[in-house]
Amino acid sequence: MKMPKNTTKDARLYWLIKSEPHTFSFEDLKSLPKKISTWDGVRNYQARNFMRDHMRKGDLALFYYSSCPKPGVIGVVRITKESYPDPTSWDPKSPYFDPKSAPSSPRWFMVDIQWKEGFPKYVALEAIKKNNKLSGIKLVQKGNRLSIMPIEKEAFAEICRMGGL
DNA sequence: GCCAACGTTGGC
DNA sequence: GCCAACGTTGGC
């Protein structure tokens, strides 16, 4: 996907980020101090590039549950810190350890996210697929396994509307 | 647990 | 640089 570098301050982008609820849930995020967490463990180059090169402080992201009985979007988070090296990548004890990454030459990056708002109504993937307005988004395209993907402003708004915001 | 999709690795 | 083998994702 071609995307210009987001250099202008007012060009807000919208995102969808995936998490497995049994690994890190939306409630887990909400329970943290200031409701902020690092978004570490991203080990896919395309996802990394989106995060590192295009995610900006203040951008909003849909929080999506994957690999669970009912995949879907549960709420909205805000990017509070732009990308910086992911230290779990050089921690041999971390499940995200990558021997090719080092503090002097970090291969992987992370951002900080903050819990913003929970949907009054869970928006299941099933409902997203049935909504004709959302037929073009990457999430529902065949074979797309990206854990971080951009989403059009209009689609972001439509999913929020479905969620009761 | 299955399996399609697809990214990564490594031999050549 | 090609491409087969392998690993992972993630819906079902």
Side-chain angles (χ1 to χ4, degrees), chain A residues 135-160:
Chain A
S135 59
I137 65 173
K138 284 174 86 70
L139 178 71
V140 298
Q141 283 166 12
K142 196 169 72 169
N144 206 316
R145 304 171 305 163
L146 268 183
S147 63
I148 295 176
M149 64 181 76
I151 184 169
E152 290 74 12
K153 184 179 185 177
E154 295 74 20
F156 183 94
E158 176 64 11
I159 291 173
C160 288

Side-chain angles (χ1 to χ4, degrees), chain A residues 85-102:
Chain A
D86 177 351
T88 65
S89 67
W90 53 76
D91 175 4
K93 292 191 292 294
S94 169
Y96 305 121
F97 176 62
D98 178 355
K100 291 174 181 160
S101 187

Side-chain angles (χ1 to χ4, degrees), chain A residues 7 14 37 65 67 86 94 105 109 116-117 126 148 156:
Chain A
T7 50
Y14 296 86
S37 174
Y65 278 167
S67 298
D86 177 351
S94 169
S105 58
F109 293 80
K116 181 172 183 288
E117 206 163 13
E126 191 182 21
I148 295 176
F156 183 94

Side-chain angles (χ1 to χ4, degrees), chain A residues 107-125:
Chain A
R107 173 172 295 212
W108 302 110
F109 293 80
M110 62 188 190
V111 296
D112 285 358
I113 62 168
Q114 180 178 42
W115 192 97
K116 181 172 183 288
E117 206 163 13
F119 282 174
K121 184 168 172 280
Y122 186 71
V123 181
L125 175 62

Side-chain angles (χ1 to χ4, degrees), chain A residues 24 26-38 80 112-116:
Chain A
F24 187 75
F26 198 54
E27 286 305 307
D28 290 337
L29 177 61
K30 191 182 183 183
S31 72
L32 293 172
K34 296 184 185 173
K35 303 177 184 175
I36 290 177
S37 174
T38 57
T80 57
D112 285 358
I113 62 168
Q114 180 178 42
W115 192 97
K116 181 172 183 288

